Amino acid sequence: MPLTKAEIARLRSLQDKKHREDLGLFVVEGGKVVTELLSAHYPFAELYATDGWPSAVRTTGLAPQLITAEEMGRISHYPTPSNVVAVGRIARRELAPPALDRGLTLALDGIQDPGNVGTLLRIADWFALDRVVLSPDCADLFSSKVISASMGSFARVEVFTAELADALATCTAPVLGCDLRGEDVHALEPLRDAVIVIGNEGRGLTPAVAARVTRRITIPRFGGAESLNAAVAAAIVCDNLRRSG
Amino acid sequence: MPLTKAEIARLRSLQDKKHREDLGLFVVEGGKVVTELLSAHYPFAELYATDGWPSAVRTTGLAPQLITAEEMGRISHYPTPSNVVAVGRIARRELAPPALDRGLTLALDGIQDPGNVGTLLRIADWFALDRVVLSPDCADLFSSKVISASMGSFARVEVFTAELADALATCTAPVLGCDLRGEDVHALEPLRDAVIVIGNEGRGLTPAVAARVTRRITIPRFGGAESLNAAVAAAIVCDNLRRSG
């Protein structure tokens, strides 16, 4: 059955954060990302595919609604449409305060680049952190760029949204922040419980979050670069935490 | 003196790799990147600024040619023009084969994303590697995206272009490649001389380069992600190499 004009308009509108929030839905497009998320058993609500989508993949999870290439061209967010589009329900989890006391948490303070947020989810997944917390001004978790950059980790990592300074105020676990003058990351002892806070790409941590850092950690520098990017710094801290753990 | 039409057309044309190669020139735009490179004493050939560019910065290096905001709008590569544009001379260094035998080299095999190449230059700079070698199919070193993402490291890191498989054929230093089944990166002994090869974002190392790897290195994985991104993997290997060094 062909898609109605209203269905096409609805699917197209999901590129916009405002419409996503209004409808409580998000969209991802492309065989790679959709397959990654279906393989991770992500519970999509709707799936649209053209004949070109490999049938071997179709058998996983939800049965796709077959649409024509012309319809795909109309719902696609890209100049070159792919052959599959999936729609999921937005569910943002609020953080209950004691949650940060146990396990390893990556807390992102205003990371604005969707590619960086996705890469940080992938790092949290690789190192099996217990959760990621996004401040409300991070790139939107449900944007297609964040989800694509996470390479499937979007489906595997527990993500919460919270005002970080509030969430950290009562946290009993050590709060690690990267700093040029702190403890050597190579000397970190095993930590079963910790929060790693990572600041915005340009301005670093907000003062309210920086005030909650209980241990300042330094990645030793040998050359001339002033800083490392957010995802790289997070990964090095995680590798050292897991090494000593 | 106002810019001529020909000068404006020439400056605009430098967004294109083909025109950059024809003219042997590249362009960077924006106060942040231009200031970073001037601070690192990068020898620009031309500098254009509007009155809005802070005079405190102007005194560093080359004196800028003052242009109007309208002229800046015409030479700018961005929808919102900045207040400074700098032009440099393209100089690609060919690698003489014994060069890889000594010191630490980061070799990039087909890294296509300009942001990743820039981030990798920044990592090489942070860890004071001796050089970076780009395969000919990497993102263009002289594209404004690579230079911006390098955060000034473009001016500090020695970069060469070479066919990697050929360059590695006669290399006497160990050639480290990331692999899911190799030696634990945490057990790396000190290495004064080494080449770290990093593969393309999607396909990894080309077979000819993979055949030159003499030590396969594994970053221990704890969770579900299938891989780490190229820059993150490179940074973790560098941190471990420098730790043991």
Side-chain angles (χ1 to χ4, degrees), chain A residues 114-177:
Chain A
N116 282 344
V117 172
T119 300
L120 284 156
L121 294 180
R122 194 171 163 196
I123 290 166
D125 187 16
W126 179 275
F127 289 106
L129 304 193
D130 294 282
R131 66 195 71 84
V132 172
V133 185
L134 307 180
S135 66
D137 59 339
C138 282
D140 179 25
L141 176 62
F142 295 97
S143 76
S144 59
K145 280 188 188 167
V146 168
I147 299 171
S148 293
S150 83
M151 304 287 278
S153 295
F154 170 81
R156 282 185 296 266
V157 176
E158 294 243 43
V159 185
F160 299 86
T161 302
E163 291 288 353
L164 295 186
D166 297 348
L168 294 170
T170 56
C171 176
T172 60
V175 179
L176 315 186

Side-chain angles (χ1 to χ4, degrees), chain B residues 2-16 19-20 23 25-29 45-49 65 67 71-72 74-78 84-88:
Chain B
L3 292 174
T4 64
K5 272 192 183 175
E7 283 171 324
I8 288 170
R10 178 182 67 101
L11 290 166
R12 282 186 65 86
S13 78
L14 296 176
Q15 7 193 343
D16 253 35
H19 288 115
R20 287 200 296 273
L23 297 168
L25 297 173
F26 69 95
V27 68
V28 290
E29 175 171 355
E46 306 165 31
L47 194 58
Y48 302 89
Q65 176 171 346
I67 63 175
E71 287 173 318
M72 184 60 81
R74 292 172 70 194
I75 67 174
S76 174
H77 299 180
Y78 299 124
V84 62
V85 161
V87 175

Side-chain angles (χ1 to χ4, degrees), chain A residues 63-234:
Chain A
Q65 176 171 345
L66 274 182
I67 62 175
T68 65
E70 194 264 332
E71 287 172 319
M72 185 60 82
R74 292 173 70 193
I75 67 174
S76 174
H77 298 181
Y78 299 122
T80 310
S82 75
N83 48 21
V84 62
V85 161
V87 176
R89 285 186 195 88
I90 290 178
R92 282 203 178 72
R93 280 177 278 197
E94 297 291 319
L95 193 73
L100 301 184
D101 294 355
R102 294 280 166 268
L104 297 176
T105 302
L106 186 63
L108 309 185
D109 184 15
I111 300 286
Q112 309 242 292
D113 180 81
N116 282 344
V117 172
T119 300
L120 284 156
L121 294 180
R122 194 171 163 196
I123 290 166
D125 187 16
W126 179 275
F127 289 106
L129 304 193
D130 294 282
R131 66 195 71 84
V132 172
V133 185
L134 307 180
S135 66
D137 59 339
C138 282
D140 179 25
L141 176 62
F142 295 97
S143 76
S144 59
K145 280 188 188 167
V146 168
I147 299 171
S148 293
S150 83
M151 304 287 278
S153 295
F154 170 81
R156 282 185 296 266
V157 176
E158 294 243 43
V159 185
F160 299 86
T161 302
E163 291 288 353
L164 295 186
D166 297 348
L168 294 170
T170 56
C171 176
T172 60
V175 179
L176 315 186
C178 288
D179 193 283
L180 292 177
R181 274 180 293 278
E183 306 170 54
D184 185 338
V185 72
H186 297 157
L188 262 185
E189 79 280 16
L191 291 173
R192 187 184 297 260
D193 307 313
V195 180
I196 305 155
V197 292
I198 298 290
N200 168 276
E201 295 91 343
R203 62 163 165 70
L205 293 175
T206 50
V209 172
R212 303 292 183 201
V213 169
T214 58
R215 292 181 64 177
R216 297 189 299 166
I217 304 297
T218 295
I219 298 168
R221 169 170 63 170
F222 298 83
E226 278 184 27
S227 62
L228 289 168
N229 88 7
V232 164

